[in-house]
Amino acid sequence: MYDRLRYEWRLMGKKAFIPQVLLLVGGGLFALVLAHNNEPAARFLSALLEMLLPLSTGASIALFTVSDSALELQLTLSQKYAMTVSLRLAMLVLWNSCLAFVTSSSIFALGLEFLPQPHPATALLTFLAGQLAWLPSLLACTALGFSAALLLQSRAASVSALASFWLIEIVFKDIMIQCIWLFPLVLFPTTLFPDGLPFSLWLLNRLLVLCVACVLLCASWPCLLFPERLLKGSHQE
């Protein structure tokens, strides 16, 4: 199993894992500049974890999970290609989740957490709430990138679809937050609604987004069971 993980890691290459590190390092340096200029850095750090890292993760999922230059050969092997894609998906999600957890823990240690008021009563609950600020968003963007890649069968189109939804979230945030049936699709409430969302409502949103992400991932996975469609998409790419 270790050899298989190392093989998939090398196959996807540094371009699948390094961009998120560079994003977080660059964001951290920019936060230092903000703090040096006496500007509030907490909300920017929230956006870094809740909005920018999930977008980067979803794009990586769309680019590297369902595209393979040797797809025809992969589909002839005894190892199901669906399991290969699932392994790549898990590796990317785990990698980015670890990066987000380390970054979020550092933000908490520095006292720069950015959460709706009122904060949880204890430090432990505040720390756990900080993880909920980014985890549902990351999984939702993962599910969106994964499903877009499977449905559109094009890396460029799937990344564009993900980026478009990300922009729609920002532009139409006030409309989405007021529609009860769109409320589970509000992916970035911590950053976009710093003052207008009570903590209890924020927590409900985080749990709903988490459920939507899991449902979308489960609903998209069966598309991997149709190799003819995968081959058609790889030839059109």
Side-chain angles (χ1 to χ4, degrees):
M1 185 62 182
Y2 172 75
D3 291 337
R4 180 64 188 279
L5 289 173
R6 187 173 63 175
Y7 170 76
E8 293 295 343
W9 180 283
R10 295 178 61 184
L11 185 65
M12 286 188 286
K14 295 179 180 179
K15 57 184 178 294
F17 300 97
I18 299 302
Q20 290 78 21
V21 177
L22 298 178
L23 173 67
L24 293 176
V25 171
L29 293 176
F30 185 72
L32 288 176
V33 173
L34 291 176
H36 179 72
N37 294 327
N38 296 320
E39 297 289 340
R43 189 177 182 185
F44 170 76
L45 291 172
S46 172
L48 181 66
L49 281 182
E50 187 187 31
M51 299 180 66
L52 298 179
L53 182 63
L55 176 63
S56 178
T57 302
S60 295
I61 296 294
L63 289 173
F64 299 109
T65 54
V66 297
S67 61
D68 197 320
S69 57
L71 180 58
E72 292 89 344
L73 178 61
Q74 286 269 10
L75 293 175
T76 63
L77 300 177
S78 58
Q79 179 73 33
K80 295 294 186 182
Y81 185 63
M83 298 305 297
T84 299
V85 172
S86 300
L87 181 60
R88 294 176 184 175
L89 179 68
M91 290 173 63
L92 285 169
V93 171
L94 183 60
W95 170 255
N96 289 288
S97 296
C98 289
L99 292 177
F101 179 78
V102 171
T103 305
S104 178
S105 300
S106 301
I107 291 173
F108 175 79
L110 294 172
L112 294 174
E113 65 274 1
F114 188 80
L115 294 171
Q117 299 292 340
H119 283 187
T122 66
L124 177 60
L125 291 178
T126 301
F127 175 78
L128 294 177
Q131 310 315 311
L132 274 179
W134 60 264
L135 180 59
S137 303
L138 187 142
L139 290 180
C141 287
T142 293
L144 287 170
F146 183 60
S147 58
L150 288 173
L151 293 175
L152 300 177
Q153 294 294 310
S154 168
R155 288 176 291 184
S158 56
V159 172
S160 298
L162 174 63
S164 298
F165 188 84
W166 188 84
L167 289 173
I168 288 172
E169 286 273 339
I170 299 173
V171 175
F172 298 102
K173 61 183 179 67
D174 294 324
I175 296 176
M176 295 180 68
I177 200 69
Q178 294 176 6
C179 295
I180 188 171
W181 57 278
L182 289 177
F183 186 69
L185 300 180
V186 178
L187 304 186
F188 316 120
T190 314
T191 304
L192 297 182
F193 302 97
D195 302 316
L197 204 62
F199 183 82
S200 58
L201 198 59
W202 174 87
L203 182 60
L204 175 62
N205 169 268
R206 298 287 77 195
L207 296 177
L208 288 174
V209 170
L210 195 60
C211 292
V212 169
C214 293
V215 169
L216 185 56
L217 280 173
C218 294
S220 301
W221 192 85
C223 293
L224 292 170
L225 304 179
F226 300 96
E228 297 83 3
R229 190 171 185 277
L230 292 174
L231 283 172
K232 180 181 178 181
S234 67
H235 291 153
Q236 292 176 348
E237 183 69 33

